[in-house]
Amino acid sequence: MTDIFLRAGYPTDDAFILKLLNQASFLKYIGDKDIKTHAQAQHYIQQTFINSHQQNGFGCYIVCLADETPVGMIGLFQRDALAIPDLGFALLAEYEGQGITTKAADLMLSKEYVNDFDLLAAITSIQNTASQKVLKKLAFEEVGDLIINEDHQPLKVLLKTKF
């Protein structure tokens, strides 16, 4: 398995975030965040990575290979539609299927502040069986479907109890 680490996101990660959020698999399974410019990517990083950590005590991280190449993102998100944080992740397509997401999730779930939660959620599109497989490896259990997006497409909801 590839060695990886998690690091903070910085406005200088804008080109990477543009690539990640606009790749076909992200658009298909997560959705179009309408991040099309470097300035929009920098704003997204400020909100999703930096502000979330400051406001919630948790947020998103950049997943990097040992040589510091960014290959994805992972984090805890506080969504308006959910009472508890949910684990979310995305990986550049060329790095999928190598165990990187599972290893990144293990690193994420080992963060000290995660112990503050008795329960975590994860949501995926119903068609995203690869993400569902990763979540089940991490002991998340499927509990049902939920509609929270403007497209009215149901999402699978999975929960993980105390770590």
Side-chain angles (χ1 to χ4, degrees):
M1 187 181 301
T2 305
D3 283 337
I4 64 159
F5 66 94
L6 306 181
R7 68 162 173 81
Y10 304 107
T12 54
D13 291 314
D14 57 325
F16 166 71
I17 290 296
L18 272 173
K19 181 179 179 181
L20 180 67
L21 271 54
N22 288 291
Q23 71 178 351
S25 59
F26 192 99
L27 295 170
K28 178 179 179 180
Y29 293 124
I30 299 172
D32 188 348
K33 301 288 186 191
D34 199 29
I35 307 296
K36 308 296 183 208
T37 68
H38 289 276
Q40 289 172 329
Q42 289 169 350
H43 180 74
Y44 179 85
I45 292 164
Q46 183 67 46
Q47 295 298 313
T48 306
F49 291 79
I50 300 166
N51 291 359
S52 180
H53 281 281
Q54 291 172 351
Q55 294 166 2
N56 301 317
F58 57 83
C60 210
Y61 296 90
I62 300 287
V63 178
C64 294
L65 301 179
D67 68 2
E68 301 186 14
T69 301
V71 297
M73 63 186 230
I74 191 163
L76 294 182
F77 297 84
Q78 187 61 63
R79 301 184 197 278
D80 292 339
L82 296 173
I84 57 175
D86 81 283
L87 178 69
F89 47 82
L91 202 63
L92 290 174
E94 59 263 36
Y95 296 97
E96 292 174 357
Q98 300 176 33
I100 294 171
T101 302
T102 302
K103 189 166 186 178
D106 284 338
L107 290 171
M108 180 71 225
L109 294 173
S110 71
K111 297 263 182 217
E112 185 66 33
Y113 61 79
V114 174
N115 291 324
D116 295 341
F117 303 108
D118 292 329
L119 191 63
L120 286 179
I123 54 176
T124 72
S125 74
I126 290 176
Q127 299 82 17
N128 194 346
T129 55
S131 286
Q132 293 165 33
K133 185 177 174 183
V134 168
L135 291 165
K136 288 177 182 175
K137 277 188 207 174
L138 298 167
F140 279 80
E141 296 181 20
E142 188 177 329
V143 294
D145 297 342
L146 178 67
I147 296 175
I148 62 171
N149 295 327
E150 293 177 11
D151 64 7
H152 302 289
Q153 294 299 310
L155 301 169
K156 284 202 178 301
V157 179
L158 299 95
L159 297 175
K160 180 176 176 68
T161 56
K162 193 68 177 172
F163 312 84

